[in-house]
Amino acid sequence: MRSPTFNVPPNIAKQFPSELSLTMFERMCMFRYFELGVIDAVIKKEITYPVYLSSGQEAVAAALSTEIRDYLIFAQHRAHDVYLTFGGPPERLRDELLGLSSGTSQGKAGSNCLQYHENGISMFGHHGLIGENVPQAVGAALGSGKNTVCIFGDGAAEEDYVFAAMGFAATHKLPVLFVCIDNNLSILTTVDVRRSWSITDVARSLGMPAVDVADDPWAVIYHTRALSNNLPAFINCYVCRGYWHVGIGIDATPEWDRYKKVEEELIRLGHEEAIRVINEKTRRFMEELWDRELLLKPLEK
Ligand SMILES: Cc1ncc(C[n+]2csc(CCOP(=O)(O)OP(=O)(O)O)c2C)c(N)n1
Ligand SMILES: [Mg+2]
């Protein structure tokens, strides 16, 4: 099942306007350079909080951020990508990670408990229990009637309160899009060792439409469009975590690097010059933000 092309319609990128594809890439690019700055700051011991990096997984958040607007956002512990792609200011996250009072939570929440409720963005972050954001998101949708996106991991999906909350959302037809970022890992344990069932089958059995898809951002948008007209719904996205569960180490070269694949696809579609400009502009912006040289390297051990 798990593969870089799973449930990706052939030639899907071509069906999308160039502007949308380039915006999506720009968000992925901004995010990658930002996390290079984080890594450098950890190496230099400027960041002393534990960091939960999302590099490698960012295509899903970039895709969602171009498609769903004005949703309440409930994220888990690995959420730098959600924060940045949905429009959180990079300098406030940088300051949060540096423990400064100008950070998103005055430097007290750090990497894994990001919260941001400004500029029309409502992002609720983690508090310690994986999957806790699922009942919280369902409660928020029930209380507010607002469209809500709830993003959690394949490990969190195994918590009992996750199913109970998803079942409640299905029964009461609450407007929640549940998104599982399936990196096949709960810390270091792969899905096949942990369980013999699929969270997508469980979501279907609870009575909501559900789909598995690789993290190709165009495919994620394609499926999100279909599902977001029919909430609650569930989408399980196969992604590859680039770095350790926590910290900046690399276990092994990831199965695939979606960033490189998106870049290659855009070049194939004739956007080589636009890609070069976006890369250059973003790199310069992030170099200034972190006050250092940032060179994009492939995620390799
Ligand atoms: C209820 C609960 N059990 C265990 C933990 C310890 N823990 C923290 S992160 C994690 C793995 C989470 O895996 P997943 O949800 O797939 O997210 P990922 O780290 O892969 O992004 C675990 C078991 C926790 N924080 N809360
Ligand atoms: Mg996981």
Side-chain angles (χ1 to χ4, degrees):
M1 281 261 273
R2 181 182 167 80
S3 84
T5 53
F6 190 83
N7 224 344
V8 177
N11 294 317
I12 177 107
K14 260 200 207 150
Q15 297 172 25
F16 286 83
S18 306
E19 202 187 324
L20 176 96
S21 299
L22 291 171
T23 299
M24 205 159 59
F25 176 73
E26 197 165 9
R27 292 180 189 179
M28 291 175 70
C29 189
M30 170 189 66
F31 168 77
R32 262 296 156 106
Y33 279 113
F34 180 87
E35 282 209 334
L36 287 179
V38 175
I39 291 165
D40 214 57
V42 171
I43 291 169
K44 296 196 165 86
K45 299 198 180 346
E46 294 163 359
I47 292 180
T48 49
Y49 282 114
V51 291
Y52 293 76
L53 302 180
S54 356
S55 278
Q57 309 191 161
E58 67 271 41
V60 178
L64 290 172
S65 71
T66 61
E67 188 54 27
I68 56 178
R69 293 189 185 82
D70 302 322
Y71 274 51
L72 299 178
I73 304 163
F74 283 79
Q76 206 173 253
H77 56 283
R78 193 179 308 286
H80 295 178
D81 54 348
V82 177
Y83 172 90
L84 286 169
T85 56
F86 275 83
E91 59 279 6
R92 298 285 304 285
L93 177 54
R94 174 202 60 195
D95 291 357
E96 184 61 30
L97 299 176
L98 291 167
L100 303 176
S101 58
S102 44
T104 42
S105 297
Q106 296 78 50
K108 294 174 182 158
S111 169
N112 63 342
C113 294
L114 290 180
Q115 316 280 335
Y116 188 69
H117 299 276
E118 292 173 45
N119 297 322
I121 302 167
S122 218
M123 173 174 165
F124 299 82
H126 186 61
H127 303 90
L129 297 179
I130 51 167
E132 64 182 2
N133 57 337
V134 180
Q136 287 167 3
V138 169
L142 176 70
S144 68
K146 290 189 177 160
N147 283 345
T148 301
V149 62
C150 179
I151 304 167
F152 54 96
D154 54 295
E158 290 159 18
E159 299 298 344
D160 52 356
Y161 39 85
V162 170
F163 302 141
M166 287 174 74
F168 186 89
T171 302
H172 296 277
K173 306 221 174 319
L174 300 178
V176 186
L177 178 64
F178 299 99
V179 181
C180 181
I181 305 294
D182 183 351
N183 57 18
N184 195 31
L185 290 169
S186 180
I187 304 185
L188 280 172
T189 313
T190 52
V191 171
D192 59 331
V193 178
R194 298 178 347 237
R195 57 172 142 104
S196 56
W197 46 268
S198 131
I199 174 74
T200 311
D201 288 344
V202 172
R204 274 193 207 114
S205 76
L206 291 170
M208 65 179 82
V211 70
D212 289 297
V213 62
D215 61 350
D216 176 291
W218 293 283
V220 172
I221 294 188
Y222 172 86
H223 289 290
T224 301
R225 274 188 192 164
L227 294 174
S228 56
N229 290 324
N230 199 8
L231 297 176
F234 174 75
I235 180 165
N236 186 69
C237 304
Y238 297 125
V239 304
C240 299
R241 189 179 81 199
Y243 295 91
W244 279 351
H245 171 68
V246 55
I248 61 168
I250 294 183
D251 284 316
T253 303
E255 287 167 88
W256 64 85
D257 182 356
R258 182 60 66 186
Y259 183 91
K260 287 284 155 208
K261 285 188 177 296
V262 170
E263 203 174 46
E264 281 160 18
E265 183 64 11
L266 286 169
I267 289 170
R268 213 170 60 81
L269 293 174
H271 297 305
E272 190 160 2
E273 178 57 13
I275 292 294
R276 194 192 60 73
V277 170
I278 290 172
N279 249 304
E280 200 39 43
K281 188 182 86 180
T282 312
R283 184 171 63 82
R284 259 191 269 121
F285 175 81
M286 287 300 169
E287 287 191 340
E288 224 166 274
L289 186 90
W290 288 104
D291 192 20
R292 64 205 60 183
E293 196 182 354
L294 300 171
L295 295 172
L296 203 52
K297 308 173 241 354
L299 290 170
E300 279 168 14
K301 192 171 166 64

